[in-house]
Amino acid sequence: MICKEFQDLQLSALGMGTMRLPLTDGKDENIDEAATARMVEYAMNHGINYYDTAWGYHGGNSELVMGKILSTYPREKFYLASKFPGYDLANMPKVEVIFEKQLEKCQVSYFDFYLFHNVCEMNINEYLDEKYGIFEYLMKQKENGRIRHLGFSAHGDYDIMKRFLEAYGEHMEFCQIQLNYVDWKFQEAKEKVELLNEYHIPIWVMEPVRGGMLASLSDEYAKKLETFRPDEEPAAWAFRFLQSIPNIVVTLSGMSNFEQLEKNIRTYEEEKPLSAEEMDTLLGIADRMMNGVPCTACHYCTSHCPQGIDIPSMLKLYNEHKFSGGGFIAPMALMAVPEDKQPSACVGCRSCEAVCPQQIRISETLADFAGMLKA
């Protein structure tokens, strides 16, 4: 297993995410404990020492199951990460109660790594609001040794991340972002990496194969990649992309079965970063995969919208929602948008379309988006 230096630690470059553990009956809350224990045993024996859980994973049962399984191993043999669940605004006044409960569920006296979970448009104001005391409480736990390293995860856009870093950046030791070769452009991951580099903050990766999407490519794309590396499977290409990006310490993979675990561990037995030609080819495939509306965010449209809708932002979220086949990112971001500025507020006047250089059928796209969200 490749290891990466983080301060005085040696962390496995591949970490085990626990949001998609094996299930007994297909229901997300019913984790197959025996299968998970077998996976953890294999991971431990093959060099994985970083395990990531969270309050809300598997209906709250991920922390319980991982705490039970990891308690059978010496505490110094693994690094455990969990997160404060700020994705639910009802949790904001409960940081102390939740943190204490998390330690109990995970059967530990401290977390090696602890994160502000999912800093995004919907919760940035609350995370920065001193009345909740979240930052102060977590810093106190760090001072008391109950949090060894404090960081944050982010699904929000660049500006949200920058705002959080301007407030707390000097105290953040690491940051976990959604990073893969599709999101390099699609979710501005490249710019987010550059921002974190400016703050000298090491990077943790989530969604390296975008929920499994990049582990299975069309024959056209797979054959194109095979001309470079005949022995590499699509998922390995996603990891090799990440091995080509400096400053990445831990890449988390939410492996849901033993076969995925075995394959990913084999991939991380050595580093094989991409050549310039391979990188260009992979990013070219990503461009063709996205196939969304070609908005360039020129903002000509916004000055002609009688509703004052931020059309480029809505089109960006539309592309995300359509490409992902749904998911939580677009609905989550729209929670911070007033109802009269949402896609459903479009009156179909087409004034925006008259000035769109890309000739996008904006009114139809927003109507389609509103229908997708309603469904």
Short mmCIF file of all heavy atoms in Angstrom, two decimals, residues 2 9 12 20 23 25 59 89 95 120 123 144 171 176 195 219 238 249 253 280-281 285 292-293 298 315 317 321 366:
data_model
loop_
_atom_site.label_atom_id
_atom_site.label_comp_id
_atom_site.label_asym_id
_atom_site.label_seq_id
_atom_site.Cartn_x
_atom_site.Cartn_y
_atom_site.Cartn_z
N ILE A 2 0.59 2.15 -0.92
CA ILE A 2 1.26 3.45 -0.93
C ILE A 2 0.84 4.21 0.32
O ILE A 2 -0.33 4.21 0.71
CB ILE A 2 0.84 4.25 -2.17
CG1 ILE A 2 1.21 3.51 -3.45
CG2 ILE A 2 1.49 5.64 -2.15
CD1 ILE A 2 0.49 4.05 -4.68
N LEU A 9 2.46 11.71 10.52
CA LEU A 9 1.78 10.44 10.29
C LEU A 9 2.09 9.88 8.91
O LEU A 9 2.46 10.61 7.99
CB LEU A 9 0.26 10.63 10.41
CG LEU A 9 -0.27 11.25 11.70
CD1 LEU A 9 -1.78 11.38 11.62
CD2 LEU A 9 0.13 10.43 12.92
N SER A 12 -2.43 5.72 4.74
CA SER A 12 -2.61 4.96 3.51
C SER A 12 -3.22 5.87 2.45
O SER A 12 -4.17 6.60 2.72
CB SER A 12 -3.51 3.74 3.75
OG SER A 12 -4.76 4.11 4.29
N ARG A 20 -21.13 3.45 1.66
CA ARG A 20 -21.74 2.47 0.75
C ARG A 20 -21.32 1.06 1.15
O ARG A 20 -20.83 0.29 0.33
CB ARG A 20 -21.35 2.76 -0.70
CG ARG A 20 -21.80 4.13 -1.21
CD ARG A 20 -21.46 4.31 -2.68
NE ARG A 20 -21.92 5.59 -3.19
CZ ARG A 20 -21.15 6.67 -3.28
NH1 ARG A 20 -19.88 6.61 -2.91
NH2 ARG A 20 -21.63 7.80 -3.76
N LEU A 23 -24.94 -4.45 2.20
CA LEU A 23 -26.22 -4.49 2.89
C LEU A 23 -26.77 -5.91 2.96
O LEU A 23 -26.40 -6.77 2.16
CB LEU A 23 -27.23 -3.59 2.17
CG LEU A 23 -26.79 -2.13 1.92
CD1 LEU A 23 -27.84 -1.41 1.08
CD2 LEU A 23 -26.56 -1.39 3.23
N ASP A 25 -30.24 -6.57 2.94
CA ASP A 25 -31.50 -6.71 2.21
C ASP A 25 -31.79 -5.57 1.24
O ASP A 25 -32.92 -5.36 0.83
CB ASP A 25 -32.67 -6.85 3.18
CG ASP A 25 -32.76 -5.65 4.13
OD1 ASP A 25 -31.98 -4.70 3.97
OD2 ASP A 25 -33.60 -5.69 5.05
N GLY A 59 -28.19 5.72 7.53
CA GLY A 59 -29.21 6.02 8.51
C GLY A 59 -28.69 6.10 9.93
O GLY A 59 -29.43 5.85 10.89
N LEU A 89 -29.62 21.60 9.04
CA LEU A 89 -29.53 22.82 9.83
C LEU A 89 -30.09 22.64 11.24
O LEU A 89 -29.71 23.40 12.15
CB LEU A 89 -30.26 23.96 9.12
CG LEU A 89 -29.70 24.34 7.74
CD1 LEU A 89 -30.46 25.54 7.18
CD2 LEU A 89 -28.21 24.65 7.81
N VAL A 95 -24.00 20.73 18.59
CA VAL A 95 -22.66 20.22 18.32
C VAL A 95 -22.11 19.39 19.47
O VAL A 95 -21.52 18.31 19.26
CB VAL A 95 -21.69 21.37 17.94
CG1 VAL A 95 -21.57 22.41 19.04
CG2 VAL A 95 -20.33 20.81 17.56
N CYS A 120 -21.45 24.07 2.25
CA CYS A 120 -22.10 24.33 0.97
C CYS A 120 -22.99 25.57 1.08
O CYS A 120 -23.04 26.24 2.12
CB CYS A 120 -22.93 23.12 0.54
SG CYS A 120 -24.32 22.76 1.64
N ASN A 123 -25.59 25.88 4.08
CA ASN A 123 -25.24 25.97 5.51
C ASN A 123 -24.08 26.89 5.83
O ASN A 123 -23.68 26.99 6.99
CB ASN A 123 -24.94 24.57 6.06
CG ASN A 123 -23.78 23.89 5.32
OD1 ASN A 123 -22.89 24.53 4.77
ND2 ASN A 123 -23.78 22.56 5.33
N ASN A 144 -8.17 19.71 23.69
CA ASN A 144 -8.27 18.66 24.72
C ASN A 144 -7.84 17.28 24.22
O ASN A 144 -7.93 16.30 24.97
CB ASN A 144 -9.71 18.59 25.25
CG ASN A 144 -10.11 19.84 26.02
OD1 ASN A 144 -9.25 20.58 26.51
ND2 ASN A 144 -11.40 20.09 26.11
N HIS A 171 -6.94 27.51 10.49
CA HIS A 171 -7.10 26.43 11.48
C HIS A 171 -7.43 25.08 10.83
O HIS A 171 -7.52 24.08 11.53
CB HIS A 171 -8.22 26.79 12.45
CG HIS A 171 -7.97 28.08 13.18
ND1 HIS A 171 -7.06 28.17 14.21
CD2 HIS A 171 -8.53 29.32 13.02
CE1 HIS A 171 -7.06 29.43 14.66
NE2 HIS A 171 -7.93 30.13 13.96
N GLN A 176 -11.58 17.87 2.34
CA GLN A 176 -12.08 16.74 1.55
C GLN A 176 -13.02 17.28 0.48
O GLN A 176 -14.03 17.91 0.80
CB GLN A 176 -12.81 15.79 2.49
CG GLN A 176 -13.17 14.45 1.92
CD GLN A 176 -13.55 13.49 3.04
OE1 GLN A 176 -12.75 13.21 3.95
NE2 GLN A 176 -14.75 12.97 3.00
N LEU A 195 -7.10 26.59 -5.03
CA LEU A 195 -7.43 27.39 -3.85
C LEU A 195 -6.85 26.76 -2.59
O LEU A 195 -6.24 27.45 -1.75
CB LEU A 195 -8.96 27.51 -3.72
CG LEU A 195 -9.49 28.25 -2.48
CD1 LEU A 195 -9.05 29.71 -2.50
CD2 LEU A 195 -11.02 28.15 -2.43
N ASP A 219 -18.02 1.12 -24.31
CA ASP A 219 -16.99 0.40 -25.05
C ASP A 219 -16.07 1.36 -25.79
O ASP A 219 -14.85 1.14 -25.86
CB ASP A 219 -17.63 -0.58 -26.05
CG ASP A 219 -18.25 -1.79 -25.36
OD1 ASP A 219 -17.91 -2.03 -24.18
OD2 ASP A 219 -19.05 -2.48 -25.99
N ALA A 238 -9.42 6.14 -13.09
CA ALA A 238 -9.89 7.23 -12.23
C ALA A 238 -8.90 7.48 -11.09
O ALA A 238 -8.60 8.62 -10.73
CB ALA A 238 -11.27 6.90 -11.67
N VAL A 249 -3.49 13.55 -0.37
CA VAL A 249 -2.96 12.65 0.65
C VAL A 249 -3.77 11.36 0.70
O VAL A 249 -3.24 10.27 0.52
CB VAL A 249 -2.93 13.33 2.03
CG1 VAL A 249 -2.42 12.37 3.11
CG2 VAL A 249 -2.04 14.58 1.98
N SER A 253 -12.53 5.69 -0.96
CA SER A 253 -13.38 4.93 -1.86
C SER A 253 -14.45 4.23 -1.05
O SER A 253 -14.13 3.49 -0.11
CB SER A 253 -12.55 3.90 -2.65
OG SER A 253 -13.37 3.18 -3.54
N ASP A 280 -4.66 14.22 -21.39
CA ASP A 280 -5.48 14.90 -22.40
C ASP A 280 -6.59 13.99 -22.91
O ASP A 280 -7.73 14.43 -23.11
CB ASP A 280 -4.61 15.36 -23.57
CG ASP A 280 -3.69 16.52 -23.21
OD1 ASP A 280 -3.94 17.16 -22.18
OD2 ASP A 280 -2.73 16.76 -23.95
N THR A 281 -6.27 12.73 -23.10
CA THR A 281 -7.27 11.77 -23.57
C THR A 281 -8.38 11.59 -22.55
O THR A 281 -9.58 11.60 -22.90
CB THR A 281 -6.61 10.41 -23.88
OG1 THR A 281 -5.61 10.59 -24.89
CG2 THR A 281 -7.65 9.40 -24.36
N ILE A 285 -12.37 12.60 -22.86
CA ILE A 285 -13.49 11.68 -22.61
C ILE A 285 -14.47 12.31 -21.64
O ILE A 285 -15.69 12.24 -21.82
CB ILE A 285 -12.96 10.33 -22.07
CG1 ILE A 285 -12.27 9.55 -23.19
CG2 ILE A 285 -14.09 9.51 -21.46
CD1 ILE A 285 -11.56 8.29 -22.73
N GLY A 292 -23.81 18.37 -21.56
CA GLY A 292 -24.86 19.22 -21.01
C GLY A 292 -25.08 20.44 -21.87
O GLY A 292 -24.56 20.55 -22.98
N VAL A 293 -25.87 21.39 -21.37
CA VAL A 293 -26.06 22.64 -22.11
C VAL A 293 -24.75 23.41 -22.07
O VAL A 293 -24.08 23.48 -21.04
CB VAL A 293 -27.22 23.47 -21.54
CG1 VAL A 293 -28.54 22.76 -21.74
CG2 VAL A 293 -27.02 23.77 -20.06
N CYS A 298 -21.41 33.65 -19.41
CA CYS A 298 -21.11 35.02 -19.85
C CYS A 298 -22.03 36.04 -19.19
O CYS A 298 -21.72 37.23 -19.16
CB CYS A 298 -21.23 35.12 -21.37
SG CYS A 298 -22.92 34.93 -22.00
N LEU A 315 -28.22 26.74 -14.85
CA LEU A 315 -27.82 25.83 -15.92
C LEU A 315 -26.69 24.91 -15.47
O LEU A 315 -26.63 23.74 -15.86
CB LEU A 315 -27.41 26.63 -17.16
CG LEU A 315 -28.51 27.45 -17.83
CD1 LEU A 315 -27.97 28.12 -19.09
CD2 LEU A 315 -29.72 26.58 -18.17
N LEU A 317 -26.28 23.83 -12.38
CA LEU A 317 -26.92 22.83 -11.54
C LEU A 317 -27.75 21.85 -12.36
O LEU A 317 -27.82 20.66 -12.05
CB LEU A 317 -27.80 23.51 -10.48
CG LEU A 317 -27.06 24.27 -9.38
CD1 LEU A 317 -28.05 25.03 -8.51
CD2 LEU A 317 -26.22 23.32 -8.53
N HIS A 321 -27.34 17.85 -12.29
CA HIS A 321 -28.47 17.00 -11.93
C HIS A 321 -28.76 16.00 -13.06
O HIS A 321 -29.06 14.83 -12.79
CB HIS A 321 -29.69 17.87 -11.67
CG HIS A 321 -30.71 17.24 -10.76
ND1 HIS A 321 -30.42 16.85 -9.48
CD2 HIS A 321 -32.01 16.93 -10.96
CE1 HIS A 321 -31.50 16.33 -8.92
NE2 HIS A 321 -32.48 16.37 -9.80
N LEU A 366 -34.88 25.38 -18.23
CA LEU A 366 -35.31 25.65 -16.86
C LEU A 366 -36.62 24.93 -16.55
O LEU A 366 -36.82 24.45 -15.42
CB LEU A 366 -35.46 27.16 -16.64
CG LEU A 366 -34.15 27.97 -16.66
CD1 LEU A 366 -34.44 29.43 -16.38
CD2 LEU A 366 -33.14 27.43 -15.67
#
